[in-house]
Amino acid sequence: MIFKTFGNKNNKAVLLIHTLFTSADFFAPVTDLLAKEYFVITPTLSGHYQNSVYISAEDEIRQIKEFLTANAINSLYAVAGFSLGGNLAYGFFCENSEMIEKAVIDSAPLFDFPKIIKNHFLKSYTKCLKKIKSGNCDVAKELNKHFNGMGEYQKDIAPKVSFESLNNLVESCFYNKVYKLPEKQLQKVTFIYGNKDIARLCKARLKNCRIHKLKGYGHCGYYREAPAEWVKKFILS
C-alpha cells in the first residue's frame, strides 16, 4: 500500500479509499478542497501498482492501522470509500468506530455471494484482464463492459493488476460481513447508492442503516460527475 497525504497534519484527518482498478489519484479532483480544512490520507491499495499483490481486505485494513499508528493519528473526522474501497472503509469503520466521527460508504457491493457466483465474476474479470493485457483492445471500452462505466478511471491501473491480485480482489468485492453496530455507531454511517447501480441490490442486507438514494446515477456516479459537490454534501456538511 502506498500513501499520499495532503494538508496540515495538525488538522483532523480524513481517509479516502479508492475503487477497484483505480488509485489514490481517483481523489485528485477533491484533495485540494479537503486539504483546506483537513489532513487528507489517500492510500493506493496493494495490487494496484507495479510489483505488489493484493492479499485481503484484512491485510489492507492492517496496513491502514499501521500507517495511522506510525503517524500518531489517533482519530479520524471521516473515512470514505467507493465500491471496493467502500467495502474496505466499512470494515475499517466497524472495527474502529470509536475513533471515527463519520463514515461515508458509496456504491459498496456489500454482498455475500455463494462460491458459484464469485467464480462467475472471477471468470468474467479474468477474461477482461487477459484481453487488456494483450494490448489488442480499447482498454476503457473493455472495462466499461464489466464495470458500469468506470473504464476511463480504471484504464491506467487495470493493466498493472496481477491475476493473483484479481482473485483476492474478487473475494473482497463479493464476500462481505455486515456488522451489527450499536445504534450510536450506526448513526455515524451513510450509505450511498444510485438507482442505476447494480450494487444497490445489497441494500437488503443493510437493515436499519441510513441509506442515501441517488436518482439517475450509476456506480460512483454522483462523485464522478460532481466530485466537489459530493465532498461538500457528504464530508464538509
Side-chain angles (χ1 to χ4, degrees):
M1 185 176 280
I2 298 173
F3 290 87
K4 287 185 177 180
T5 61
F6 306 84
N8 188 334
K9 193 174 179 181
N10 293 321
N11 290 338
K12 288 185 176 182
V14 171
L15 172 67
L16 306 175
I17 308 178
H18 65 81
T19 73
L20 179 70
F21 291 172
T22 65
S23 70
D25 291 339
F26 185 70
F27 300 109
V30 299
T31 47
D32 286 346
L33 174 61
L34 281 169
K36 292 177 181 179
E37 189 172 347
Y38 299 101
F39 181 60
V40 185
I41 305 165
T42 58
T44 293
L45 300 175
S46 304
H48 289 72
Y49 50 93
Q50 296 290 357
N51 302 316
S52 72
V53 175
Y54 181 95
I55 297 172
S56 66
E58 293 78 11
D59 189 61
E60 298 303 289
I61 290 171
R62 174 189 62 78
Q63 291 181 67
I64 290 169
K65 289 179 180 177
E66 288 179 354
F67 173 86
L68 296 178
T69 299
N71 287 273
I73 299 170
N74 300 313
S75 64
L76 295 173
Y77 171 67
V79 56
F82 294 79
S83 192
L84 166 67
N87 289 359
L88 297 175
Y90 173 71
F92 177 77
F93 172 81
C94 291
E95 293 178 12
N96 303 276
S97 59
E98 73 287 343
M99 65 173 284
I100 303 168
E101 292 185 40
K102 68 160 70 172
V104 185
I105 313 299
D106 195 321
S107 305
L110 288 165
F111 295 107
D112 180 9
F113 282 131
K115 188 174 181 179
I116 189 171
I117 301 297
K118 286 186 286 184
N119 286 343
H120 164 76
F121 281 107
L122 179 59
K123 183 177 179 180
S124 176
Y125 295 168
T126 298
K127 183 178 179 180
C128 172
L129 199 56
K130 284 181 178 178
K131 194 169 183 179
I132 287 169
K133 288 179 178 291
S134 75
N136 296 321
C137 68
D138 182 309
V139 175
K141 287 183 179 179
E142 184 63 26
L143 288 163
N144 280 336
K145 296 176 185 178
H146 302 267
F147 297 103
N148 209 210
M150 290 288 294
E152 283 298 321
Y153 297 85
Q154 298 173 317
K155 64 182 182 180
D156 294 327
I157 302 299
K160 301 176 184 178
V161 177
S162 70
F163 293 107
E164 179 183 358
S165 288
L166 181 64
N167 183 73
N168 298 330
L169 286 161
V170 168
E171 187 75 10
S172 290
C173 284
F174 299 114
Y175 177 72
N176 292 276
K177 175 183 176 181
V178 172
Y179 291 75
K180 292 183 178 180
L181 294 172
E183 182 65 22
K184 183 178 179 181
Q185 304 303 329
L186 196 61
Q187 289 304 309
K188 295 181 179 182
V189 188
T190 299
F191 293 93
I192 302 169
Y193 292 99
N195 71 330
K196 294 183 177 181
D197 181 9
I198 194 170
R200 77 189 187 282
L201 299 177
C202 76
K203 290 189 298 182
R205 301 186 74 206
L206 302 174
K207 295 177 181 179
N208 302 317
C209 294
R210 182 166 54 192
I211 299 175
H212 193 98
K213 302 173 184 178
L214 294 172
K215 187 176 181 179
Y217 289 99
H219 201 58
C220 309
Y222 185 27
Y223 176 82
R224 288 191 282 132
E225 290 190 20
E229 293 305 313
W230 188 98
V231 162
K232 290 174 184 176
K233 185 176 182 67
F234 296 110
I235 302 293
L236 298 178
S237 64

